[in-house]
Structures are given as structure tokens and as C-alpha cells.
Amino acid sequence: MELINKNEIGKKLSGRLLLNKSMKYIFLLCTLVGLVVLATLLIDTIIDGWSYLTTDFFTNFSSSRPENAGIKGALIGTLWLMATTAPIAIILSVGTALYLEEYAPKNKITDFIKINISNLAGVPSVVFGLLGLTLFVRMAGLGNSVLAAALTMSLMILPVIVVASQEAIRSVPSSIREASIGMGATKWQTITRVILPASLPGIITGIILSLSRAIGETAPLVVIGIPTILLFTPTGVFDTFSALPMQIFSWVKMPNPEFQSITAAAILVLLFILFLMNSVAIYIRNKYSKRF
Amino acid sequence: MNDYNIREMIDNKKGRRSTMFIEKMVPIILLVITSVSVLTTIGILVTLLSETVMFFTRVSPIEFLTSTEWSAFSSDPEWGIFALIMGTLKITVIAVAFAVPIGLGAAIYLSEYASDRVRRIIKPILEILAGIPTVVYGFFALTFVTPLIRGIWPEVNLFNAISPGLVVGVMIIPMIASLSEDAMSSVPNSMREGALGLGSTRLETVFKVVLPAAVSGIMASIVLAVSRAIGETMIVSIAAGSTPNASLNIMESLQTMTGFIVQVASGDATYGSDVYFSLYAVGMTLFVFTLLMNVIAQWFSRKFREEY
Amino acid sequence: MTLTKVKEEKNMKTTHDETVQERNFEGRIAEQAQPVFQAKDFNLWYGDNHALQNIDLDFNRNEISAIIGPSGCGKSTFIKALNRMVELVPIVRTEGDILYRNQSIFDKSLTVEELRTKVGMVFQKPNPFPKSIYDNVAYGARVHGIRNKKVLDQVVEKSLKGAAIWDEVKDRLNDNAYGLSGGQQQRICIARALAIEPDVILMDEPTSALDPISTTKIEDLMQELKKDYSIIIVTHNMQQAARISDRTAFFYQGHVIEYDRTNVIFEKPKDQRTEDYVSGRFG
């Protein structure tokens, strides 16, 4: 009496192998969905918007007449926003990461700060908009200025840069830290001369990636009340401004079908900027990864 | 060659005092900077809470929780948050139903089948997909996906739940795929070898060994994705419409919590009006939902870390 | 001390080697009587673990002192206590005293930075910074405020020569130190420690991660360095201790079992446990 019927197993095996093989292709198909959607989105947008990418498009301000509409105000506004957001976000986030990795004592308060940061990362951007509206626009009296928007954006991307910087700092081997301290360097000298230079590629990658998230972020700007039709560019951080994603959002809602193409053209510009930033980040990451 | 005496030069450089001063100041400055992240949370809570309390001095919390109608701009407004929650729920369910199987399939392929080279090509593409601004996805939903769906089912409205739901799904696929792939990759190879060594096929190994072993990590990725879908704003503002309703119909226009906030904010509600304060009550509800999801996700990922 | 200095100044214009010899000669007479490090009833705890117990040890100048003992005997902990690196572990607590040139290393007037400037350290695994060879060696001088390019150039050349690696790297000083072999990296680390002209060099199993050829080079180098520096080395390679050191301390379970001239320790140890260990019966 055999407990295992070898023939049965043999018969079932071919079915199992067939299932194995076919499921492999189904998984591959799932992987390709993202690729296909990305390609469709890009091709569709290029077909719609390519012919509208003229010099006038870059030098004209926004307009309610499609033939005159351009992105000058929005593009320059976005650059202002990024140039103001970057230093604020970098100081806040890298400072926080340094404190948590290098100075923070191991206690409940530090644990709380860490949990708090990972919870902040999950707060929807529109809620950050509400915070910015109340705190910066109304209470601080900054109005819908570049600075109010930049402060809001900085707080929004803070958790991402903090986590990326923490990882980069942690990846510096402690043997190098010991070498520096062992030569009589102080803690801060060790941080500025050894640890930060060694973790810089990781930190920069994190900064660029989160700035590229901020650059396309629309919801907080809408909530803060950034105008969409503006016939001047800001001259300082207290001026009001417009931004590319805001411009896109306002054009999407236009009933005139010609605006669809203009929207697509603006999207192409935005995607190009993002593509550029991401390429730089990926280049830095690949060039400097695996050094230790 | 001049012979410098380094020992003496170092001893003479007694710039130690300023160095020591910096050394004492730096941790204090960094602690102040770090406190900003805590203040942000406090700021969010205080802002939302205080304005929500203001809202409830004007509108009964009972109406807010029990009414099924939300009509903030009518002359006789109704404030039933349930209608907005239903809108969010419809979008989220469609998105998750679409994204979870595809995201998991992709994760399985990348972690269990793909060669290193394929992985190196696919992963950056997923990152690009995750980095596309949601306003662009909104445009894509409205001008490409909606017409496509209406071509198949003409009875679907221009604004509906299906198109933005699917596009939100596309948006969260990379998140599910890459976080689940991380979870599966950290399952030790010895477990796979054990199953394969007994004559299991790759597929059986995946379903009977790898997935069960990585289940808490995968759950964490799904819950995080749900949280993202709930908080997603621009896609639904552009493609889902602005008529709050509590029905289960996915073919007609609806409004989500986030969509309402954008509608009010872009329409310049008068400061101090009922509608203005309702922004914060809706924001608070949204915040509670996403916070809950994040806490659950953290619980899962802590559990996963403890296992490995 | 004063005598050495006068001699040095007098010899400023003579060649480097002569200066070294002069100083060595004078140094030995004037200084050898005094130990460079003295541990006095020193105790150390990691939390509740009493890792070092009642250590009394004197280390002499211009000698190589070796510390041997089985894994976990406290020898690495002890050498890291000498430049207070052990305090980087937050749960460490100490009692008793360690004197460096008759001054307590725990004295408030002596900052840890000053102490570590005078007491250099070479670590178990080569740990160059991810910088150029030049920047690695110039690091210490720069940290201590020396920016003059000419001085730095000289410091780098002298230290690399001192660490017997100048000829191998002189044409690629701007290359990243990570591109070197393990043995070369360790000699760069020694050069880096030499660059700030320390008084004592602590070495924590400096050759344990290296191949035999690199090990021989570093052992030869230590014999050279001994003329100018006092060296304290932790090793669990007993042959190495026997080959290079003048005195040897045997550590066991946090105690100093025996400390004597190296030939005594290896040829006629007084304690049975020392004899068991050096003859390879345990450890």
C-alpha cells in the first residue's frame, strides 16, 4: 500500500508547470501597465500640446483668449517658489536629520519626534494648505506671497528630506567617524568635514526628489489662494505670484477646447522640468552609490 | 625644505575657545530646528481643531454626522459629511481595487522573476510614474480616460467616479509595487530554497511561502496607498465633478472631501462665513481618516520589522 | 623636555634624520625614566558588566608595549580608554585614574580633543575618509587650524614618508584613498595619525584585516616609528607581540594577569594562565 501515488503526481505536474508559466506572463503584464500608462500619457500630451510650444508661449502672460495665453508669469513664479522653498526646506530638514542622527539622546522624546515625522509624511498636501492659509497667509499676514507658499511647501516636503538625509548620514560607517574623533577633531568638525561630505550625494538626491514633488504640487497653492491670472512677475518674496501647476489647473477648467492644447503644452514644460530634476538625482545616486 | 614643527603650530593655535563655543551652540540650534517638525503637527492640530469648533458653534455636530446631504452653497445649506465621505470612498475603492492586484503582480514579478537588468530598467520608470504631478493625472483623466470610458458606456457622465478612480489607482500602483517588492525581497532566500527544493514551482513558492512571509509588509504598503488615495486632491477636483451625494452610483458626478476644500478655496469663500469654517471641519475629518490609515500602516510595518 | 627643544632648535638646519637621532638620544636619557601612560586602579563598566578591573599599568616612552589576551578580555576597551574613545559608548562608567605624562586624562583642564591630538590612534580596519590621499593626511592639521599650503604640503610628504608609503602614492596624491589596497590604506591611516605629530600612537589590532606581506611592512614600520613615538598596540596575534614589542601585558577577563618584558612573558611567565595562553593552550 503506497501512501503516495506517483502516477497522480506525474499527471498533476504538467498542469502545475503550465500555471507557473502562464502566471509569470500575467505578472509581467502587471509590471507593464505602468509603462503603458506612462507612454500613453506622454504621447497623448505631446500630440495635444507640441505645436503650441512657441516662443510666444514662453513670453506671454496668461490670458482668457487662447491665442494670447502664455506661461511667462507661471514659469517665473514657479522658479521663485522653488528658489525660496529650497533653502528653507534644506536648513530645516538637514538640521533635523543631523540632530536626530548625531545629537539626540535615546529617549521617549526622540522616539516621539521620529514617529511624528513619519506621521507628517502621510498628511495630505491639502491639509498643509489649510495650515499655510491659517498660519502664514492670515496670522503672519504674508498674504498669498511667494514666502507664504514657500513656507507651506517647506513644511510639506520636510519629512521626505529628513528621512532621506537620515539614511544618508546613517550609511557613513562609524569607523570613519572614529578616525576623525580619534585625531582630536571635535564633533561638529567631524560632522562638517567628514560626515556631511560623505553623505552629501544621498542628501542631495533626497532634496532634488522632494523639490520635484513640490514643483508639481497644486493643492496647497489652491488652498492658499494663489492667483492664476497675473500680469506681472514677482520682484521679491513678499510679492504675489502664479505657478505652473496652478496655471494648468485653471486652464483645465476652461470650456474652450483650444485651452486643452494649451494645458497640454504647459504640462509638457512642467514634465520637462521634472524630467531634468529626476535625471540629475538619479545620476548623482548612481555615481556615488556603493562607496563604502 | 623648511622644517615646520607641526606639534608646536597646533599648540599655538589656541583658537579653541571659539571652537568650543560653536560646539556648545550647535546642538541647541539643531534642537530648535528639529522642534519645527513637532510645531508643524501642533499647528495642524490647533488650526483644524479651533476652526472646527467655530464651525460647530454655527452648525450642529449632529447634523454634520447624521445628515446624508451636503449643500454648502445653497440658500438653505445642508451639512452632512457622509455625502463627501461617500465620494471619497467610491474613488478610493475603485482605485484600490484596480491598483492592488496590478501593484502586487508587478511586485511579484520584480522580486521573484525579473533579472537584475530588468529591475534596473523598471524601477526608475515606476519612480517617474510616482513623480508625475497629480494635476497632470487630472488632465489625463478628464481628456483621455473619461472620453475612452464614455466611448464604451455612453451613459457615463462627463464627471464620474470611474475615470478619476482608475487614475488615482495608476498613481498609487508604484507605491504598492515598490513597497511590496521591498517586503518580498527581504524574505530570506533560504525559505525560497526550502520550498523549491521540495519540488514546488516558482508560483507555488510565491503564494505558499513568500507572500505569507511578507504579508505584514504588503499590508503596510496597501494601507499607505489607501491613505494616499483618500488624501488625493487634484485628480478628483478635475475629473470627479462637484456635486456631493451619498449614492453608490459610480457613473454620475460626485465630490470628495478634498474636492470640496479645493472648490471652496478656489472660489474665495468670505472669511468668517459658514462655508469658510466648514473647510476646516472637512479638513479635520480628512486628517483623522489619513492619520488612522498611517497608524495602521506603521503597526503593520513594525510587525514586519520584528519578524525579520 | 626643555633640553630636547633646545637641541631641536639648534639642529633646525641640519637634516631631518640627524634631528631625529639627536632627539632620540637625548630623549632616552631624559625621558625614559618616566612612563608616558600610567593606569592607577582603573575600573570600567559597560552598564552592569565590569569590563576592566583594578588595572595598574605603566607604559614607557619610545617603546612598543603590546597588550595580548583572548577575545573579550578587555584589551580593546582598555586601549580605547587611553584616549577616552571608549566614552563614545553612552553606558560606559569609569573609576580610578589614568595619567598621561603625570596629568590625569580625566582632568577638566585637558579637553578630550587635546588629549586625542597628542595620543593618536590607528584602528582595526583601515578607515580612510572618502577623500583624496592628500586630504586624508592633511585632515588633522586642517582640523587644528593650519591652512598654509606650504606647511600642509610638507606635513603630507613627511607623514607619508614616515609611514613608508610615499614612494607608492607620490604620483597620485589626489586620487581617492579608497582606491588603494587594504595594506596601503592602513599605512595611509598611520600617516594620517603621524601628521599631527602625536606623542603616543595607539594601535588596535592594526594588522588583523591585512595579508601577511602588508603585515610585515607595518611591523617594520613600527620599529622605525618607535624612535620618535611611544606605541601601545593591542594584538591577538601572539607571534606579532613577541616579534615587535618591548613589553607585553597579558589581559584575562578584565584583569591584568602579568606585565613584563616581552621575552619574560613569552619565555618564563610567572603565572600559569599566561603560560597556558602564550603556549596556545587556550584563547
Side-chain angles (χ1 to χ4, degrees):
Chain A
M1 169 97 191
E2 280 182 65
L3 283 175
I4 295 173
N5 185 338
K6 295 252 161 70
N7 284 336
E8 275 300 305
I9 292 181
K11 259 186 240 162
K12 276 187 183 160
L13 190 61
S14 62
R16 285 166 59 201
L17 289 177
L18 186 69
L19 189 65
N20 182 40
K21 201 158 201 176
S22 44
M23 280 305 278
K24 178 183 170 178
Y25 290 106
I26 290 177
F27 293 141
L28 176 62
L29 224 60
C30 292
T31 314
L32 294 180
V33 166
L35 204 88
V36 171
V37 172
L38 186 65
T40 315
L41 188 151
L42 287 179
I43 293 168
D44 181 49
T45 317
I46 290 175
I47 290 172
D48 259 1
W50 187 257
S51 57
Y52 281 78
L53 287 174
T54 57
T55 359
D56 283 351
F57 185 67
F58 289 94
T59 54
N60 282 359
F61 282 104
S62 181
S63 165
S64 55
R65 287 213 304 273
E67 62 273 18
N68 291 340
I71 55 165
K72 182 179 176 189
L75 190 58
I76 292 176
T78 283
L79 295 180
W80 267 93
L81 179 61
M82 284 305 112
T84 319
T85 305
I88 301 172
I90 290 170
I91 291 172
L92 289 181
S93 323
V94 179
T96 303
L98 277 179
Y99 181 79
L100 290 177
E101 287 303 309
E102 300 289 329
Y103 289 98
K106 277 200 167 53
N107 58 26
K108 288 252 161 68
I109 299 174
T110 306
D111 287 346
F112 170 75
I113 294 175
K114 285 182 182 166
I115 291 174
N116 174 56
I117 287 175
S118 65
N119 276 329
L120 269 186
V123 173
S125 58
V126 69
V127 173
F128 276 100
L130 288 175
L131 176 73
L133 174 68
T134 322
L135 210 61
F136 303 128
V137 176
R138 293 207 195 282
M139 279 168 67
L142 293 172
N144 43 21
S145 63
V146 174
L147 187 59
L151 287 169
T152 310
M153 287 289 186
S154 303
L155 295 183
M156 192 189 80
I157 60 176
L158 179 132
V160 185
I161 311 183
V162 169
V163 172
S165 305
Q166 273 182 292
E167 269 168 25
I169 293 169
R170 222 175 296 146
S171 75
V172 179
S174 64
S175 65
I176 289 182
R177 186 183 318 247
E178 283 173 6
S180 171
I181 289 175
M183 299 187 70
T186 62
K187 192 164 191 168
W188 184 239
Q189 282 173 330
T190 303
I191 290 172
T192 51
R193 287 163 190 261
V194 178
I195 295 174
L196 276 183
S199 51
L200 210 54
I203 295 178
I204 291 180
T205 309
I207 291 170
I208 298 179
L209 289 179
S210 45
L211 279 180
S212 76
R213 183 188 155 196
I215 213 170
E217 195 58 71
T218 324
L221 298 180
V222 180
V223 176
I224 288 177
I226 302 306
T228 48
I229 294 198
L230 203 63
L231 297 181
F232 60 89
T233 55
T235 54
V237 292
F238 295 103
D239 289 355
T240 188
F241 70 109
S242 190
L244 260 184
M246 278 303 291
Q247 195 66 72
I248 293 168
F249 179 52
S250 75
W251 281 341
V252 164
K253 293 185 298 187
M254 296 281 187
N256 186 335
E258 213 173 326
F259 267 109
Q260 185 178 327
S261 304
I262 293 180
T263 315
I267 286 175
L268 286 178
V269 175
L270 181 62
L271 288 182
F272 180 74
I273 297 174
L274 284 179
F275 174 74
L276 221 59
M277 290 173 81
N278 278 283
S279 312
V280 172
I282 290 172
Y283 173 78
I284 292 176
R285 186 170 57 192
N286 288 347
K287 183 164 180 204
Y288 291 98
S289 68
K290 299 224 169 79
R291 284 178 315 152
F292 298 114
Chain B
M1 189 163 79
N2 281 333
D3 222 11
Y4 300 100
N5 187 333
I6 293 299
R7 171 87 277 152
E8 251 170 53
M9 292 178 75
I10 290 174
D11 284 346
N12 291 339
K13 292 267 182 195
K14 285 289 178 194
R16 280 260 167 245
R17 185 173 294 176
S18 63
T19 316
M20 284 305 152
F21 179 70
I22 294 173
E23 219 47 45
K24 282 213 179 67
M25 289 309 291
V26 163
I28 299 172
I29 295 169
L30 292 182
L31 179 62
V32 171
I33 290 176
T34 303
S35 65
V36 170
S37 63
V38 179
L39 291 177
T40 305
T41 307
I42 296 174
I44 290 175
L45 284 176
V46 169
T47 308
L48 292 180
L49 268 177
S50 63
E51 307 290 61
T52 304
V53 168
M54 285 301 287
F55 177 71
F56 284 136
T57 59
R58 295 147 173 263
V59 174
S60 143
I62 296 167
E63 182 188 342
F64 186 73
L65 293 175
T66 56
S67 168
T68 55
E69 234 180 274
W70 182 279
S71 53
F73 297 101
S74 83
S75 52
D76 179 24
E78 285 276 339
W79 306 100
I81 187 74
F82 186 67
L84 292 179
I85 292 180
M86 269 310 286
T88 298
L89 224 56
K90 275 185 274 185
I91 298 288
T92 307
V93 167
I94 293 172
V96 169
F98 178 61
V100 166
I102 291 178
L104 280 186
I108 293 171
Y109 185 79
L110 288 175
S111 141
E112 307 297 318
Y113 293 93
S115 66
D116 261 358
R117 234 192 60 194
V118 173
R119 210 172 298 143
R120 266 205 300 277
I121 300 168
I122 301 277
K123 284 203 112 179
I125 291 175
L126 285 179
E127 274 174 53
I128 294 176
L129 206 58
I132 288 184
T134 53
V135 70
V136 175
Y137 275 126
F139 173 79
F140 181 64
L142 185 66
T143 61
F144 187 85
V145 180
T146 301
L148 201 70
I149 292 171
R150 274 153 62 95
I152 303 168
W153 294 301
E155 62 269 40
V156 175
N157 284 337
L158 175 62
F159 295 114
N160 59 71
I162 306 168
S163 161
L166 291 177
V167 175
V168 170
V170 168
M171 186 196 79
I172 59 177
I173 284 176
M175 189 173 207
I176 298 177
S178 91
L179 291 180
S180 297
E181 199 246 341
D182 288 348
M184 285 186 233
S185 305
S186 55
V187 172
N189 254 331
S190 55
M191 290 173 90
R192 289 190 188 84
E193 282 157 10
L196 290 171
L198 289 170
S200 310
T201 61
R202 270 258 158 222
L203 183 72
E204 288 154 353
T205 310
V206 168
F207 278 101
K208 299 201 169 121
V209 176
V210 180
L211 284 185
V215 73
S216 41
I218 292 171
M219 284 308 291
S221 82
I222 293 174
V223 179
L224 271 183
V226 170
S227 166
R228 276 286 291 280
I230 292 175
E232 169 36 45
T233 310
M234 297 322 290
I235 301 174
V236 292
S237 299
I238 293 170
S242 49
T243 44
N245 63 75
S247 83
L248 286 169
N249 190 341
I250 55 172
M251 295 193 204
E252 61 181 33
S253 170
L254 61 110
Q255 187 162 47
T256 65
M257 295 186 273
T258 52
F260 174 74
I261 295 175
V262 164
Q263 189 198 359
V264 174
S266 51
D268 243 357
T270 354
Y271 177 72
S273 63
D274 286 0
V275 176
Y276 174 80
F277 287 115
S278 75
L279 267 186
Y280 293 89
V282 175
M284 187 78 204
T285 317
L286 178 66
F287 179 75
V288 169
F289 268 89
T290 50
L291 185 68
L292 197 70
M293 290 297 148
N294 290 335
V295 169
I296 297 174
Q298 273 163 25
W299 181 78
F300 274 121
S301 65
R302 201 162 37 242
K303 204 169 142 214
F304 184 69
R305 270 202 303 276
E306 277 161 15
E307 283 162 16
Y308 296 99
Chain C
M1 200 60 179
T2 344
L3 190 62
T4 340
K5 219 168 216 171
V6 172
K7 272 289 170 202
E8 264 181 28
E9 274 162 25
K10 207 177 77 187
N11 287 329
M12 265 306 221
K13 294 207 173 57
T14 63
T15 66
H16 176 67
D17 282 345
E18 269 174 326
T19 319
V20 168
Q21 272 170 14
E22 285 286 336
R23 192 171 76 180
N24 260 344
F25 179 67
E26 302 287 347
R28 280 177 185 237
I29 292 171
E31 295 181 354
Q32 204 157 38
Q34 282 182 359
V36 60
F37 263 117
Q38 290 171 283
K40 294 199 178 292
D41 198 20
F42 184 71
N43 286 277
L44 184 144
W45 290 264
Y46 288 114
D48 293 332
N49 175 15
H50 198 171
L52 293 174
Q53 305 183 18
N54 311 92
I55 308 289
D56 277 292
L57 272 182
D58 290 1
F59 294 111
N60 290 340
R61 289 179 192 175
N62 298 95
E63 281 192 358
I64 298 178
S65 312
I67 300 175
I68 59 170
S71 301
C73 68
K75 54 191 194 301
S76 272
T77 302
F78 179 69
I79 199 172
K80 282 186 172 153
L82 294 178
N83 67 350
R84 300 184 62 182
M85 289 287 279
V86 76
E87 290 165 34
L88 293 179
V89 183
I91 51 167
V92 159
R93 189 163 55 85
T94 63
E95 237 173 55
D97 207 352
I98 295 175
L99 303 184
Y100 164 68
R101 291 195 180 253
N102 294 324
Q103 187 189 12
S104 167
I105 62 168
F106 302 107
D107 197 302
K108 284 267 182 295
S109 67
L110 179 71
T111 62
V112 287
E113 286 82 11
E114 271 176 86
L115 174 70
R116 289 170 191 159
T117 313
K118 288 177 178 139
V119 182
M121 187 158 198
V122 176
F123 298 81
Q124 194 165 355
K125 281 192 192 132
N127 54 356
F129 302 127
K131 297 167 181 274
S132 70
I133 295 169
Y134 185 98
D135 288 343
N136 260 282
V137 181
Y139 180 82
R142 281 181 174 146
V143 159
H144 294 292
I146 294 168
R147 290 193 181 78
N148 185 329
K149 178 83 174 121
K150 271 190 201 149
V151 180
L152 290 176
D153 283 349
Q154 190 206 321
V155 165
V156 170
E157 180 173 345
K158 192 170 146 195
S159 313
L160 287 170
K161 279 178 176 159
I165 192 170
W166 171 252
D167 290 330
E168 291 164 59
V169 298
K170 64 181 171 197
D171 300 322
R172 43 174 172 152
L173 290 178
N174 290 320
D175 288 8
N176 195 308
Y178 269 56
L180 299 171
S181 75
Q184 288 174 321
Q185 285 186 9
Q186 191 63 310
R187 276 179 287 150
I188 293 290
C189 292
I190 294 176
R192 187 175 63 185
L194 296 181
I196 49 173
E197 300 187 353
D199 183 29
V200 185
I201 301 176
L202 308 175
M203 295 187 164
D204 187 3
E205 305 194 22
T207 60
S208 66
L210 303 182
D211 61 278
I213 294 170
S214 306
T215 302
T216 313
K217 278 190 181 162
I218 286 179
E219 287 180 5
D220 292 347
L221 173 60
M222 285 166 71
Q223 294 298 340
E224 285 297 312
L225 294 176
K226 165 178 145 175
K227 294 172 193 152
D228 296 297
Y229 305 91
S230 315
I231 295 174
I232 301 170
I233 177 174
V234 162
T235 174
H236 62 212
N237 176 340
M238 280 175 287
Q239 285 73 34
Q240 184 171 55
R243 275 196 303 268
I244 60 173
S245 68
D246 300 296
R247 279 166 205 278
T248 299
F250 172 57
F251 273 54
Y252 184 60
Q253 293 183 343
H255 292 274
V256 180
I257 304 299
E258 200 168 345
Y259 177 50
D260 212 321
R261 303 198 67 82
T262 298
N263 54 0
V264 177
I265 293 284
F266 281 91
E267 281 154 29
K268 33 184 179 307
K270 297 182 189 70
D271 195 288
Q272 185 60 42
R273 287 167 294 182
T274 317
E275 191 178 339
D276 287 351
Y277 183 71
V278 298
S279 59
R281 253 168 257 162
F282 75 90

